Amino acid sequence: MNALSRIITAEAVAVTRLGNPSQDYAAQQRRLTAMATMTGTHGFRVPPIEPKTDAQGLTRGDRKRIARAAAMAKVSETRAPQFMHSAARRKLEAV
């Protein structure tokens, strides 16, 4: 390995390693160019994670929707029709 290849290798490591601070403006521009070349100017993508599920296979949102529907059903059954929400009133009239 000759001196020129060692210098180029050291420069490439300094440009592409994210933990190294940039020495000057030119080094910062070389780093930006190198990162843009590596990612095709799209940046590093982080795929979205799947929501956690419980033992029944329900997500937190599913459990909230079920609880909300159960609470609204209980409220609608106990309220007098004149105090019900319009959608609940229509549902009661349809039955």
Side-chain angles (χ1 to χ4, degrees), residues 51-54 56-70:
K52 289 184 181 179
T53 57
D54 61 3
Q56 290 80 29
L58 299 173
T59 63
R60 182 172 175 233
D62 294 337
R63 291 190 302 271
K64 281 182 167 184
R65 283 186 284 278
I66 291 169
R68 194 175 301 122

Side-chain angles (χ1 to χ4, degrees), residues 19-82:
N20 289 347
S22 299
Q23 291 84 14
D24 57 357
Y25 181 74
Q28 184 181 11
Q29 292 305 311
R30 284 192 303 272
R31 177 175 291 171
L32 289 173
T33 304
M35 293 298 166
T37 303
M38 281 188 238
T39 62
T41 67
H42 295 296
F44 293 100
R45 295 174 187 253
V46 179
I49 60 171
E50 292 293 321
K52 289 184 181 179
T53 57
D54 61 3
Q56 290 80 29
L58 299 173
T59 63
R60 182 172 175 233
D62 294 337
R63 291 190 302 271
K64 281 182 167 184
R65 283 186 284 278
I66 291 169
R68 194 175 301 122
M72 288 304 292
K74 288 177 187 174
V75 168
S76 296
E77 290 169 0
T78 59
R79 283 187 180 171
Q82 64 267 23

Side-chain angles (χ1 to χ4, degrees), residues 76 80-95:
S76 296
Q82 64 267 23
F83 299 115
M84 292 175 100
H85 189 271
S86 59
R89 223 176 303 143
R90 281 192 297 267
K91 185 178 174 185
L92 184 65
E93 292 168 359
V95 173

